[in-house]
mmCIF file of all heavy atoms in Angstrom:
data_model
loop_
_atom_site.group_PDB
_atom_site.id
_atom_site.type_symbol
_atom_site.label_atom_id
_atom_site.label_comp_id
_atom_site.label_asym_id
_atom_site.label_seq_id
_atom_site.Cartn_x
_atom_site.Cartn_y
_atom_site.Cartn_z
ATOM 1 N N THR A 109 -150.393 130.600 52.317
ATOM 2 C CA THR A 109 -151.110 130.643 53.612
ATOM 3 C C THR A 109 -152.472 131.210 53.301
ATOM 4 O O THR A 109 -152.618 132.262 52.692
ATOM 5 C CB THR A 109 -150.336 131.518 54.673
ATOM 6 O OG1 THR A 109 -149.055 130.807 54.793
ATOM 7 C CG2 THR A 109 -151.051 131.451 55.990
ATOM 8 N N TYR A 110 -153.499 130.558 53.938
ATOM 9 C CA TYR A 110 -154.922 130.920 53.794
ATOM 10 C C TYR A 110 -155.550 130.845 55.064
ATOM 11 O O TYR A 110 -155.583 129.746 55.702
ATOM 12 C CB TYR A 110 -155.526 130.053 52.703
ATOM 13 C CG TYR A 110 -156.832 130.523 52.171
ATOM 14 C CD1 TYR A 110 -156.966 131.320 51.118
ATOM 15 C CD2 TYR A 110 -158.007 130.091 52.878
ATOM 16 C CE1 TYR A 110 -158.251 131.764 50.653
ATOM 17 C CE2 TYR A 110 -159.248 130.542 52.381
ATOM 18 C CZ TYR A 110 -159.302 131.430 51.245
ATOM 19 O OH TYR A 110 -160.617 131.784 50.811
ATOM 20 N N GLU A 111 -156.011 132.036 55.588
ATOM 21 C CA GLU A 111 -156.653 132.051 56.874
ATOM 22 C C GLU A 111 -155.889 131.385 57.982
ATOM 23 O O GLU A 111 -156.279 130.633 58.739
ATOM 24 C CB GLU A 111 -158.023 131.441 56.879
ATOM 25 C CG GLU A 111 -159.099 132.265 56.040
ATOM 26 C CD GLU A 111 -160.485 131.867 56.125
ATOM 27 O OE1 GLU A 111 -160.913 131.226 57.176
ATOM 28 O OE2 GLU A 111 -161.247 132.108 55.184
ATOM 29 N N GLY A 112 -154.566 131.682 57.909
ATOM 30 C CA GLY A 112 -153.554 131.206 58.971
ATOM 31 C C GLY A 112 -153.010 129.775 58.753
ATOM 32 O O GLY A 112 -152.257 129.338 59.506
ATOM 33 N N VAL A 113 -153.480 129.042 57.749
ATOM 34 C CA VAL A 113 -153.155 127.718 57.471
ATOM 35 C C VAL A 113 -152.279 127.682 56.236
ATOM 36 O O VAL A 113 -152.545 128.303 55.215
ATOM 37 C CB VAL A 113 -154.335 126.739 57.332
ATOM 38 C CG1 VAL A 113 -153.838 125.280 57.106
ATOM 39 C CG2 VAL A 113 -155.228 126.792 58.553
ATOM 40 N N THR A 114 -151.011 126.953 56.325
ATOM 41 C CA THR A 114 -150.202 126.730 55.216
ATOM 42 C C THR A 114 -150.595 125.614 54.308
ATOM 43 O O THR A 114 -150.759 124.468 54.776
ATOM 44 C CB THR A 114 -148.705 126.599 55.631
ATOM 45 O OG1 THR A 114 -148.445 127.810 56.437
ATOM 46 C CG2 THR A 114 -147.827 126.515 54.499
ATOM 47 N N PHE A 115 -150.619 125.885 53.067
ATOM 48 C CA PHE A 115 -151.026 124.805 52.022
ATOM 49 C C PHE A 115 -149.910 124.747 51.052
ATOM 50 O O PHE A 115 -149.415 125.614 50.451
ATOM 51 C CB PHE A 115 -152.364 125.243 51.385
ATOM 52 C CG PHE A 115 -153.530 125.261 52.175
ATOM 53 C CD1 PHE A 115 -153.909 126.299 52.922
ATOM 54 C CD2 PHE A 115 -154.345 124.050 52.379
ATOM 55 C CE1 PHE A 115 -154.959 126.406 53.878
ATOM 56 C CE2 PHE A 115 -155.379 124.012 53.166
ATOM 57 C CZ PHE A 115 -155.731 125.217 53.903
ATOM 58 N N ASN A 116 -149.430 123.468 50.821
ATOM 59 C CA ASN A 116 -148.404 123.067 49.875
ATOM 60 C C ASN A 116 -149.170 122.578 48.624
ATOM 61 O O ASN A 116 -149.735 121.430 48.754
ATOM 62 C CB ASN A 116 -147.426 122.145 50.411
ATOM 63 C CG ASN A 116 -146.753 122.670 51.693
ATOM 64 O OD1 ASN A 116 -146.030 123.546 51.688
ATOM 65 N ND2 ASN A 116 -147.127 122.050 52.812
ATOM 66 N N ALA A 117 -149.164 123.301 47.577
ATOM 67 C CA ALA A 117 -149.990 122.818 46.392
ATOM 68 C C ALA A 117 -149.027 122.448 45.226
ATOM 69 O O ALA A 117 -148.141 123.246 44.893
ATOM 70 C CB ALA A 117 -150.891 124.092 45.938
ATOM 71 N N TYR A 118 -149.325 121.194 44.664
ATOM 72 C CA TYR A 118 -148.530 120.680 43.674
ATOM 73 C C TYR A 118 -149.405 120.306 42.462
ATOM 74 O O TYR A 118 -150.532 119.894 42.661
ATOM 75 C CB TYR A 118 -147.866 119.414 44.094
ATOM 76 C CG TYR A 118 -146.749 119.731 45.143
ATOM 77 C CD1 TYR A 118 -147.092 119.627 46.518
ATOM 78 C CD2 TYR A 118 -145.426 120.003 44.773
ATOM 79 C CE1 TYR A 118 -146.122 119.884 47.524
ATOM 80 C CE2 TYR A 118 -144.422 120.174 45.749
ATOM 81 C CZ TYR A 118 -144.813 120.160 47.147
ATOM 82 O OH TYR A 118 -143.854 120.419 48.065
ATOM 83 N N SER A 119 -148.825 120.397 41.224
ATOM 84 C CA SER A 119 -149.536 120.018 40.060
ATOM 85 C C SER A 119 -149.570 118.462 40.109
ATOM 86 O O SER A 119 -148.604 117.767 40.488
ATOM 87 C CB SER A 119 -148.737 120.471 38.819
ATOM 88 O OG SER A 119 -149.255 119.957 37.712
ATOM 89 N N LEU A 120 -150.686 117.930 39.618
ATOM 90 C CA LEU A 120 -150.835 116.405 39.575
ATOM 91 C C LEU A 120 -151.263 116.106 38.102
ATOM 92 O O LEU A 120 -152.383 116.378 37.778
ATOM 93 C CB LEU A 120 -151.990 115.926 40.596
ATOM 94 C CG LEU A 120 -152.130 114.358 40.574
ATOM 95 C CD1 LEU A 120 -150.830 113.734 41.178
ATOM 96 C CD2 LEU A 120 -153.319 114.041 41.406
#
Side-chain angles (χ1 to χ4, degrees):
T109 301
Y110 192 88
E111 294 189 22
V113 180
T114 300
F115 293 86
N116 303 292
Y118 293 92
S119 176
L120 183 67

